[in-house]
Amino acid sequence: LKGSALTFTRPRPAFSSLVSPWFCLPLQSSVPAARLPYRVRVSAGKRYAWCACGHSKKQPFCDGAHKSKAPGISPVFFTPEKDKAFMFCACKQTRNAPYCDGSHLKVIFRDVVKSVKGIFK
């Protein structure tokens, strides 16, 4: 329709070992916890909650900080199928939550451009 805008809301993630790509859109109101991913060993069968908002003090996992600092963002719950070390996203812009997909390179580039622009003002 001409002149109309569609609004989509992001559904809350389901409790699952597989995270659907539908839930892995970049989080626009999250804050980067770090510029590089976290390498963390996780245990098979244990349920984890990945911090999607960036405010947790227990990165990359959720400590409940989103309840007061980012109430519209919920953690991503997952259960690994085997003991393994994973690279968890810290920039909170991944399209493969909770795993790093290299999006932090865009975040770093954006920060560099912003810094350079600041020099020439």
Side-chain angles (χ1 to χ4, degrees):
L1 297 170
K2 193 172 186 177
S4 65
L6 296 175
T7 304
F8 295 97
T9 56
R10 186 173 160 250
R12 300 218 183 257
F15 294 90
S16 170
S17 62
L18 300 175
V19 180
S20 168
W22 178 256
F23 302 118
C24 300
L25 300 172
L27 304 171
Q28 300 304 321
S29 59
S30 61
V31 296
R35 296 296 182 249
L36 298 175
Y38 297 101
R39 184 175 189 273
V40 179
R41 180 165 288 281
V42 293
S43 301
K46 183 177 176 184
R47 192 172 114 203
Y48 294 90
W50 173 75
C51 171
C53 71
H55 293 286
S56 174
K57 300 290 185 211
K58 295 182 178 181
Q59 290 294 332
F61 302 114
C62 179
D63 67 0
H66 65 277
K67 293 175 185 174
S68 62
K69 295 184 178 180
I73 301 175
S74 296
V76 174
F77 295 92
F78 67 99
T79 304
E81 295 176 1
K82 56 185 175 179
D83 293 352
K84 187 176 175 182
F86 289 100
M87 298 298 283
F88 290 100
C89 176
C91 73
K92 310 305 177 187
Q93 299 300 307
T94 185
R95 291 189 178 268
N96 188 27
Y99 310 108
C100 175
D101 68 356
S103 295
H104 59 275
L105 298 174
K106 290 183 228 172
V107 173
I108 292 168
F109 180 76
R110 184 184 64 219
D111 291 347
V112 169
V113 168
K114 188 177 178 181
S115 296
V116 170
K117 283 183 179 179
I119 293 172
F120 295 105
K121 282 188 176 182

